[in-house]
Amino acid sequence: MKTTIFAAAFTAAAIFGGADLALADDYPERPLQLVVPFPPGGASDLVARIIAGELEARLGKPVIVMNRPGGGTTIAGKEVARAAPDGYTLFFSSNSTFTLPAAVKETVPYDAAKDFEPLGQVGKITLVLVTYKDNPIKDLTALVAEAKANPDKLSLASFGAATVSHFAGELFKSSAGIKMVHLPYKGSAPAMNDLIGKAHPVSRRHRDRGQAAARRRHRACARGILGKADALPTRCADPRGARLFGHRFRVLGAVVTPKGLPPAVRDKLTATLEATINNPTVVERFTKVGFEPGFARYSDWASAINKETAEMKQIAQTAGIKED
């Protein structure tokens, strides 16, 4: 009797295993969507569109970038977490979605450690501190001096509450002992539009100068995370992550899906994503927009997320980072 039960169990496993492989062979059968938690035009959106274009070429189906800004990236995170785990909804984000919201928000509409299936880490995001061209404040020394002389008179924009730029900005203020008003936007593009609007006249030359400065600073800090544009120059940070206020702060980008992806589909997507990130043409395009590519698989996603969330809570408490 026991022999019959084991034989039946083995047969069932073989049938389901074959079905899973057949699913991977047929996948994808329709267009995919790559959700981005920021509006069009920002750095994350540009990186996502590079990834989407390469995935589309390799998978043979359209990969449509869907911008879902707001809520400090939690609106997009909630949408993806509740989507069907069928391989047709991908999500490109960073610490801004996976660990930082839980460090400062009372409630988050998803559990990043449990609700997402990681395909892989795809690189590091460079943050650049800039000001408008005609601002009389030309370097960090002058910025700190002005902020100390006039507390809460200067503003520091981020691309959303509890995002990486919010954390970096608050850590910068804490380390410098200054007070500035935090202005959270729904992405870097609208923040930069307002910033450029301060420069008169607004010209392509001004915008190109800022972009070129960011690329130069990125190359100079090739192994670092946090750089500053030429208007506010500073030194490179710790090569394994920016050190601010006595803490290392890493900004990592990853592509995930809803939890529960069929293993064969997950493996196919992961392999395709790895080939995408390692493509020399993609690497070159990433570098031009200030993104440092580097593919890595997560051996234990839940542990990594829980560990970093605890670290970010400590940093938030120490630096006084709160949800606006």
Side-chain angles (χ1 to χ4, degrees):
M1 189 66 175
K2 290 184 178 179
T3 301
T4 303
I5 293 174
F6 281 121
F10 176 79
T11 302
I15 292 173
F16 285 119
D20 190 46
L21 291 175
L23 178 63
D25 289 339
D26 295 337
Y27 171 85
E29 297 180 301
R30 63 179 190 272
L32 293 75
Q33 63 174 358
L34 178 59
V35 179
V36 182
F38 298 109
S44 294
D45 177 68
L46 294 176
V47 171
R49 292 181 187 277
I50 294 171
I51 293 174
E54 186 69 13
L55 288 177
E56 181 172 309
R58 293 176 179 274
L59 293 172
K61 294 293 181 181
V63 179
I64 303 167
V65 174
M66 306 294 289
N67 299 95
R68 295 287 188 267
T73 78
T74 60
I75 291 176
K78 176 183 177 180
E79 178 180 313
V80 173
R82 297 185 178 183
D86 53 12
Y88 292 94
T89 299
L90 313 180
F91 186 35
F92 171 65
S93 193
S94 66
N95 321 51
S96 293
T97 299
F98 306 130
T99 61
L100 303 188
V104 298
K105 294 176 178 286
E106 291 187 5
T107 59
V108 180
Y110 53 83
D111 185 331
K114 298 179 180 179
D115 293 339
F116 297 120
E117 188 97 37
L119 298 180
Q121 181 187 126
V122 296
K124 302 172 183 178
I125 300 169
T126 300
L127 298 181
V128 181
L129 179 61
V130 298
T131 187
Y132 58 93
K133 180 179 180 293
D134 296 329
N135 193 332
I137 299 174
K138 299 298 183 183
D139 55 49
L140 286 181
T141 300
L143 172 61
V144 171
E146 180 68 20
K148 286 185 175 180
N150 299 282
D152 287 329
K153 296 298 183 182
L154 302 179
S155 59
L156 183 60
S158 76
F159 43 78
T163 61
V164 291
S165 62
H166 180 197
F167 261 66
E170 295 300 326
L171 286 170
F172 163 65
K173 291 190 289 182
S174 296
S175 63
I178 59 177
K179 293 183 178 181
M180 300 174 68
V181 177
H182 174 222
L183 297 180
Y185 282 77
K186 292 183 178 180
S188 59
M192 289 301 293
N193 286 338
D194 278 3
L195 187 70
I196 291 172
K198 293 288 187 179
H200 302 288
V202 177
S203 70
R204 179 176 177 82
R205 179 175 62 84
H206 295 159
R207 291 194 296 271
D208 287 349
R209 186 178 72 88
Q211 292 167 357
R215 289 196 292 271
R216 288 197 304 272
R217 192 64 58 183
H218 173 71
R219 288 193 294 268
C221 303
R223 299 301 301 172
I225 305 298
L226 183 65
K228 302 290 189 289
D230 60 349
L232 299 171
T234 188
R235 62 181 177 81
C236 292
D238 182 284
R240 290 164 298 176
R243 283 193 178 277
L244 291 172
F245 200 57
H247 297 282
R248 181 180 299 141
F249 185 65
R250 302 175 302 158
V251 187
L252 303 176
V255 175
V256 304
T257 71
K259 186 70 173 180
L261 204 61
V265 173
R266 178 196 62 212
D267 293 345
K268 184 173 184 176
L269 275 173
T270 298
T272 305
L273 181 64
E274 182 173 13
T276 291
I277 303 305
N278 291 333
N279 184 337
T281 301
V282 171
V283 171
E284 182 180 0
R285 293 179 68 191
F286 279 159
T287 303
K288 287 181 179 180
V289 298
F291 185 76
E292 184 182 348
F295 185 84
R297 303 189 185 209
Y298 286 90
S299 58
D300 191 336
W301 167 263
S303 294
I305 294 302
N306 288 332
K307 179 181 179 181
E308 181 170 304
T309 299
E311 293 173 349
M312 293 301 105
K313 285 182 178 179
Q314 182 179 5
I315 290 177
Q317 182 177 5
T318 303
I321 303 173
K322 299 178 180 179
E323 182 181 11
D324 292 319

